[in-house]
Amino acid sequence: MKTVNLHFRLGLPALAGLLLAGLFPFLAARVAAAPTACVPGPHSGHITADETWCLSDSPHQLSADVTVDPGVTLTIEPGVTVMGGDEQALKVQGRLEAVGTPAQPITFTSSSGGVSGWEGLIFDGSLGAGTGNLRYVTVMYGGDPVYPDLPGADQWVGGNIYARDVLSGEVRLENTRVVSVTGFGAWHVPVRDYGLFVEDSRVVVSGTLFSEIGDGQSGTGTDEDFPLHVSGPASVLTLTNTTFQDNHVNRVLLWPGAMTGHDATLPAMPTLEGYELAGDYIVPPTYTLTLDPGVTVMGRWDNELRVEGRLEAIGTPAQPITFTSSTNTGACQWQGLVFDSGTGDLR
């Protein structure tokens, strides 16, 4: 049997072609990772491909609602100011990357320069990811009245940041300022004011300031102006090193069922007055609600904290845990703790 040797001569063009073919995946990855081009304002409508709002084009004005579509990332450079007008919001169904620096923070504000001037940031995971990364960011002057599908919402509501159904990922606020919301003045109607509203979403808040939120004119007979609202059993709120200062009340409002789809922990913050229960709050069977030392839980008239699962409330001599009424002025202002087939450790 003869051995047949096949010899090929490769010219330079062919050799170059093979080399490029071998490098193509690497080059494609490099091209894909390249920053997107700057897109100047004014902005409106749907963002359907990755884009960047650059400092060189700041301020970036919204001329109508802007929606970041699912699968799309909007990147905002350090130092940029984004300005929204009446009935305008930046809605994120994809991802928002707004990472500033201490020297060049990013600002989201109203074009009018006053309170209640726009609808704020809305992270909506119902159609996509709806995730966000905010670092060294100021979000202010939201509160232009809107009517999202909030639990028990029977009137106008408005605020700075709203996260809904964000479960494939998270919204992260780090070293951020959520400030200046008083919705009453915009349409001269009572408005529920909030700094951050979390509904069935994963939200991480650290090193953040909530300030000047609420005017006490919600018009329900029950005050609903809070810097932070939490609703929905799937919500997971991670709260660390966060300051509540000069708000109408320095409290977190827990709607019935908030964070009850899993074990949950309520952390203490030095400037947080307490967690107020908007209605009967039930710890379901098989789940545990843990209160960190120093936490205060506040129930409203005719409402109770009912434990069907387990309550862990272990304070310390220096940081006791307190259960009291939302008015916190006397007896018979709430129904107290009810252990209904549930267990507890109170210390």
Side-chain angles (χ1 to χ4, degrees):
M1 179 180 296
K2 292 184 178 180
T3 300
V4 180
N5 294 319
L6 300 178
H7 298 277
F8 295 92
R9 294 193 177 188
L10 294 178
L12 287 177
L15 181 60
L18 285 175
L19 289 174
L20 285 175
L23 288 174
F24 180 76
F26 172 75
L27 292 174
R30 291 295 298 272
V31 170
T36 55
C38 296
V39 177
H43 304 279
S44 64
H46 288 257
I47 298 176
T48 59
D50 292 355
E51 69 180 43
T52 300
W53 294 0
C54 296
L55 179 60
S56 58
D57 300 312
S58 185
H60 286 259
Q61 177 69 54
L62 308 184
S63 58
D65 282 351
V66 172
T67 301
V68 182
D69 281 0
V72 174
T73 297
L74 171 62
T75 301
I76 298 180
E77 287 189 340
V80 163
T81 294
V82 178
M83 308 177 77
D86 291 348
E87 300 184 62
Q88 295 172 358
L90 177 54
K91 301 178 180 180
V92 181
Q93 296 174 344
R95 181 164 181 81
L96 174 65
E97 281 285 334
V99 179
T101 69
Q104 289 186 302
I106 294 168
T107 301
F108 296 90
T109 186
S110 72
S111 56
S112 64
V115 297
S116 308
W118 70 308
E119 292 182 3
L121 298 175
I122 299 175
F123 293 90
D124 183 3
S126 61
L127 297 177
T131 60
N133 185 21
L134 281 64
R135 190 183 313 159
Y136 293 106
V137 168
T138 294
V139 187
M140 62 193 306
Y141 294 149
D144 189 19
V146 295
Y147 192 72
D149 184 18
L150 301 181
D154 52 3
Q155 64 186 72
W156 296 103
V157 295
N160 278 339
I161 305 173
Y162 178 47
R164 178 184 185 182
D165 297 327
V166 182
L167 295 173
S168 59
E170 65 188 19
V171 176
R172 177 175 290 270
L173 280 63
E174 182 180 347
N175 296 318
T176 286
R177 300 170 65 247
V178 183
V179 299
S180 299
V181 179
T182 51
F184 184 83
W187 287 25
H188 306 288
V189 294
V191 176
R192 291 177 175 175
D193 300 326
Y194 63 87
L196 168 63
F197 202 115
V198 179
E199 180 185 358
D200 278 324
S201 295
R202 298 177 180 271
V203 177
V204 178
V205 182
S206 65
T208 289
L209 170 68
F210 290 87
S211 184
E212 299 177 14
I213 295 166
D215 53 15
Q217 301 186 71
S218 59
T220 62
T222 301
D223 186 7
E224 303 294 353
D225 288 356
F226 285 79
L228 209 166
H229 293 237
V230 186
S231 74
S235 285
V236 178
L237 175 65
T238 303
L239 198 61
T240 58
N241 192 29
T242 291
T243 301
F244 297 82
Q245 177 180 302
D246 298 327
N247 301 292
H248 176 62
V249 290
N250 294 316
R251 301 178 185 179
V252 174
L253 184 65
L254 297 181
W255 291 85
M259 301 191 293
T260 58
H262 50 83
D263 293 343
T265 298
L266 302 184
M269 299 290 115
T271 58
L272 180 62
E273 184 183 356
Y275 293 85
E276 184 169 329
L277 309 181
D280 288 344
Y281 190 89
I282 301 171
V283 181
T286 75
Y287 292 127
T288 298
L289 175 64
T290 300
L291 310 183
D292 282 351
V295 162
T296 296
V297 175
M298 316 179 91
R300 292 181 177 177
W301 172 258
D302 205 31
N303 291 335
E304 66 188 25
L305 173 54
R306 188 191 316 163
V307 182
E308 298 176 359
R310 181 163 180 81
L311 175 65
E312 286 281 335
I314 300 177
T316 68
Q319 292 183 301
I321 293 169
T322 302
F323 297 91
T324 185
S325 70
S326 58
T327 45
N328 197 27
T329 57
C332 302
Q333 294 176 343
W334 74 305
Q335 290 191 347
L337 296 174
V338 178
F339 290 87
D340 183 1
S341 302
T343 61
D345 189 356
L346 280 65
R347 194 182 314 162

